[in-house]
């Protein structure tokens, strides 16, 4: 189909609820009060990872290496039974630490096989091990829990997490929904490998990330075992359940593809989903080798969701995607999933890049050039939504999925491309994906890399396009060799 390269956010329907911002200052004040003295004491893990947009997401004091999630779900009763086994390392001495978990009933917690005390405090699960954990100690936490998972409502009004559907659940956790279905250190700074053992009624399919290790049906139930070997941020985990048509094959590059498509979406999805291998091959040429051993698509029918998500290895779509959306979620496998942000303020590193991938796809497949896409957007009058805030500074979690992040984020990359030329620009993208593969990247690092690869001072370009409010003036000069003064990096390096 004809790509619509200027299209902004990947919302498939417009979805808005009443603002929920009123409670935020109170929660923030409570957090600051709690976090201050606790951190000072030095043996209590902080209740948040320190992200100002989502202060209680993630936790302090430990790093998770692996999640083993054993879940049983009944789509009819909507009941979930779970056991989560987290393997982690203490980064400080810990007499107490938190996990993120919203709703659900916790029936037991052990630390290194010994019963631990626990209590619930809002969306925090506070765990007190019998014996303090030494700094550097590897430990294992087992949490058993059950109940009816409820999605959370994000600051922008969208549903996030375990979202029930008529035949199962659409499971997508960006930015904070992982806590609705498993206890986690739910901030992107802490990536881990995952094993999933998912049991659903026979006839239903449970699709998670990574490679399918096996599936077995007994006593009217089917258990699916999935392994996500490469590190993954909690928000990118899925365990989507439904009635699906399944297709499996291995690409020429040896990537294991598993597609699960709701039969009601199958006719519309087929022509797009069959392009997945060619889209991944094309993106591999531009961005470097595909970062994971598995791939695929989960095409659900979930009209209440209104967006698709780049769940790692296997994006989840709320309805049959168009080709732009497939290109976008696929590009996120490099930008967002393999190279992950460290604070939500840097969301343009995900969305600007995935949107620019759509522009490039159009340009190289008979559609309009990226320059045309840029020009069309640039014609947008000052005062319109596109210019509401600079993409490098959305201001709060309420705005991270808005037009400036996607469209103006892509415009930043186009300005960079025109400033440094195609060979250097594409080398920057590939180097970015390679250097931070299976890790993290920050905006400051991207700017530094762009300056290093191009030998140009890009201070004013990034300052204007990424960080300055309002519609930028049409010209933006780029000087010769970078002098690496303080400039735009001054307030970004931390
Ligand atoms: N990151 C998703 C994408 O662009 C979109 C997304 C995830 C989203 N969660 C959301 C959009 C919540 C709006 C609201 O592919
Ligand atoms: Zn996106």
């Amino acid at each position: 189909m004809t790509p619509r390269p200027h299209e902004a956010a990947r919302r498939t329907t417009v979805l808005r609820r009443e603002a929920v911002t009123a409670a935020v200052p109170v929660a923030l004040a409570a957090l600051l009060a709690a976090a201050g003295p606790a951190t000072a004491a030095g043996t209590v893990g902080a209740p948040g990872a320190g992200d100002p947009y989502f202060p209680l997401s993630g936790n302090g004091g430990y790093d998770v290496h692996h999640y083993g999630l054993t879940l049983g779900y009944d789509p009819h009763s909507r009941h979930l039974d779970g056991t989560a086994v987290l393997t982690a390392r203490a980064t400080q001495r810990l007499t107490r630490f938190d996990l993120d978990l919203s709703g659900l009933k916790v029936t037991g917690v052990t630390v290194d096989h010994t019963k631990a005390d626990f209590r619930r405090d809002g969306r925090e699960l506070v765990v007190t091990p019998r014996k303090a954990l030494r700094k550097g100690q590897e430990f294992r936490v087992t949490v058993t829990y059950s109940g009816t998972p409820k999605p959370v409502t994000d600051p922008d009004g969208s549903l996030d997490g375990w979202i029930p559907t008529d035949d199962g659940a659409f499971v997508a956790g960006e930015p904070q929904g992982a806590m609705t279905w498993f206890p986690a250190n739910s901030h992107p700074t802490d990536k881990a490998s995952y094993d999933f053992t998912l049991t659903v009624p026979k006839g239903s399919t449970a699709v998670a990330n990574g490679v399918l290790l096996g599936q077995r049906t007994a006593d009217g139930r089917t258990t699916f075992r999935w392994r996500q070997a490469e590190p993954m941020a909690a928000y990118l985990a899925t365990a989507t359940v439904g009635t699906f048509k399944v297709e499996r094959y291995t690409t020429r590059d040896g990537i294991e593809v598993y597609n699960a498509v709701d039969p009601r979406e199958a006719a519309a999805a087929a022509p797009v989903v069959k392009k997945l291998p060619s889209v991944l091959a094309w993106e591999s040429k531009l961005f470097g080798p595909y970062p994971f051993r598995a791939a695929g698509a989960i095409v659900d029918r979930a009209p209440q969701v209104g967006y698709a998500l780049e769940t790692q290895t296997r994006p989840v779509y709320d309805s049959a995607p168009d080709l732009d959306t497939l290109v976008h979620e696929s590009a996120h496998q490099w930008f967002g999933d393999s190279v992950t942000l460290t604070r939500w303020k840097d969301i343009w590193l995900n969305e600007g890049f995935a949107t620019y991938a759509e522009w490039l796809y159009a340009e190289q497949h008979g559609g309009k050039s990226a320059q045309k896409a840029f020009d069309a957007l640039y014609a947008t009058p000052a005062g319109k939504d596109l210019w509401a805030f600079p993409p490098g500074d959305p201001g709060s979690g309420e705005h991270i999925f808005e037009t400036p992040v996607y469209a103006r984020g892509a415009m930043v990359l186009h300005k960079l491309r025109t400033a440094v030329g195609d060979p250097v620009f594409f080398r920057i993208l590939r180097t970015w994906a390679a250097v931070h593969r299976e890790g993290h990247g920050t905006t400051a690092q991207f700017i530094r890399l762009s300056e290093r690869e191009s030998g140009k001072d890009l201070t004013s370009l990034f300052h204007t396009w990424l960080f300055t409010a309002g519609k930028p003036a049409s010209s933006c000069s780029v000087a010769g060799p970078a002098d690496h003064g303080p400039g735009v990096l001054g307030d970004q390096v931390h």
Side-chain angles (χ1 to χ4, degrees):
M1 65 167 298
T2 311
R4 288 163 291 118
H6 58 280
E7 197 175 29
R10 294 261 57 92
R11 275 174 200 282
T12 48
T13 59
V14 178
L15 172 136
R16 277 252 159 219
R17 276 181 191 76
E18 289 312 305
V20 287
T21 44
V24 170
V26 179
L28 191 61
L31 165 76
L32 295 175
T39 314
T43 68
V44 174
D51 192 315
Y53 285 15
F54 296 92
L56 290 175
S57 285
N59 304 285
Y62 64 94
D63 258 320
V64 181
H65 301 318
H66 185 76
Y67 292 86
L69 304 178
T70 303
L71 308 178
Y73 188 63
D74 177 20
H76 298 291
S77 64
R78 298 187 171 176
H79 184 84
L80 177 78
D81 272 308
T83 302
V85 181
L86 284 64
T87 311
R89 196 178 60 80
T91 55
Q92 63 177 75
R93 180 177 152 81
L94 283 176
T95 53
R96 196 175 93 196
F97 61 88
D98 282 14
L99 295 166
D100 301 310
L101 185 67
S102 138
L104 301 166
K105 182 176 168 52
V106 174
T107 50
V109 177
T110 67
V111 174
D112 287 337
H113 307 288
T114 303
K115 255 179 90 140
D117 282 338
F118 65 89
R119 65 183 163 83
R120 307 298 296 277
D121 181 7
R123 292 165 172 183
E124 301 294 311
L125 168 61
V126 182
V127 177
T128 306
R130 183 74 52 87
K131 260 180 70 187
L133 299 162
R134 282 171 286 108
K135 179 177 179 176
Q137 185 178 332
E138 296 276 345
F139 64 102
R140 182 190 254 244
V141 189
T142 302
V143 180
T144 50
Y145 58 102
S146 65
T148 305
K150 297 249 182 340
V152 289
T153 302
D154 290 328
D156 67 356
S158 55
L159 290 180
D160 183 7
W162 190 281
I163 305 169
T165 58
D166 59 3
D167 64 354
F170 179 100
V171 182
E174 189 184 28
Q176 49 170 359
M179 64 180 170
T180 68
W181 60 285
F182 65 100
N185 191 24
S186 187
H187 189 269
T189 41
D190 192 0
K191 295 168 76 166
S193 55
Y194 286 70
D195 276 299
F196 303 85
T197 304
L198 308 175
T199 301
V200 291
K202 183 180 166 189
S204 295
T205 300
V207 193
N209 315 83
V211 171
L212 181 66
L213 298 181
Q215 87 184 54
R216 225 185 116 229
T217 301
D219 304 326
R221 308 203 305 164
T222 307
T223 298
F224 296 82
R225 289 186 306 120
W226 295 93
R227 172 164 296 164
Q228 172 57 53
E230 303 91 354
M232 175 167 77
Y235 82 89
L236 295 168
T238 190
T240 293
V241 177
T243 306
F244 293 121
K245 281 169 64 171
V246 169
E247 170 192 36
R248 298 177 72 176
Y249 58 89
T250 303
T251 70
R252 287 166 200 233
D253 297 332
I255 302 162
E256 288 188 42
V257 176
Y258 183 106
N259 296 325
V261 179
D262 187 307
R264 297 166 292 185
E265 298 291 329
V272 175
V273 170
K274 81 163 193 277
K275 294 212 158 113
L276 180 63
S278 71
V279 167
L280 293 179
W282 173 78
E283 290 181 342
S284 303
K285 272 193 300 172
L286 284 189
F287 309 145
Y290 178 71
F292 307 115
R293 68 192 72 177
I298 307 168
V299 182
D300 205 344
R301 175 172 283 193
Q304 68 276 46
V305 173
Y307 60 85
L309 182 64
E310 63 269 24
T311 38
Q312 188 155 305
T313 68
R314 192 163 292 111
V316 60
Y317 302 92
D318 64 336
S319 63
D322 58 21
L323 185 53
D324 271 349
T325 305
L326 187 94
V327 167
H328 179 106
E329 307 308 339
S330 298
H332 274 308
Q333 301 306 310
W334 284 261
F335 307 115
D337 294 12
S338 174
V339 183
T340 302
L341 47 74
T342 59
R343 47 176 195 174
W344 287 105
K345 185 185 181 186
D346 284 347
I347 184 72
W348 85 282
L349 291 173
N350 293 9
E351 303 307 345
F353 284 55
T355 303
Y356 200 64
E358 295 176 58
W359 298 14
L360 291 169
Y361 191 88
E363 177 172 283
Q364 297 189 17
H365 293 82
K368 76 167 141 190
S369 67
Q371 184 62 48
K372 275 232 163 67
F374 179 96
D375 293 343
L377 276 172
Y378 191 74
T380 307
K384 295 285 186 193
D385 281 357
L386 173 62
W387 312 114
F389 58 84
D393 193 5
S396 79
E398 194 183 341
H399 305 298
I400 58 176
F401 299 120
E402 289 179 1
T403 306
V405 170
Y406 288 75
R408 187 169 160 185
M411 294 176 89
V412 173
L413 291 176
H414 190 71
K415 289 301 285 186
L416 174 64
R417 180 182 173 193
T418 42
V420 303
D422 277 10
V424 173
F425 175 72
F426 289 106
R427 198 172 74 220
I428 290 170
L429 292 187
R430 277 193 296 274
T431 307
W432 181 246
V435 169
H436 300 282
R437 184 182 166 108
E438 297 193 357
H440 296 94
T442 67
T443 294
Q445 288 171 329
F446 183 73
I447 294 171
R448 246 184 262 125
L449 175 73
S450 299
E451 294 197 325
R452 203 185 314 126
E453 293 293 325
S454 67
K456 286 189 154 71
D457 179 357
L458 300 167
T459 306
S460 97
L461 186 153
F462 284 111
H463 178 75
T464 303
W465 280 90
L466 200 48
F467 294 118
T468 305
K471 180 175 176 175
S474 61
S475 68
C476 169
S477 58
V478 172
D483 64 5
H484 292 289
V488 71
L489 290 176
D491 65 345
Q492 286 303 303
V493 182
H494 51 257

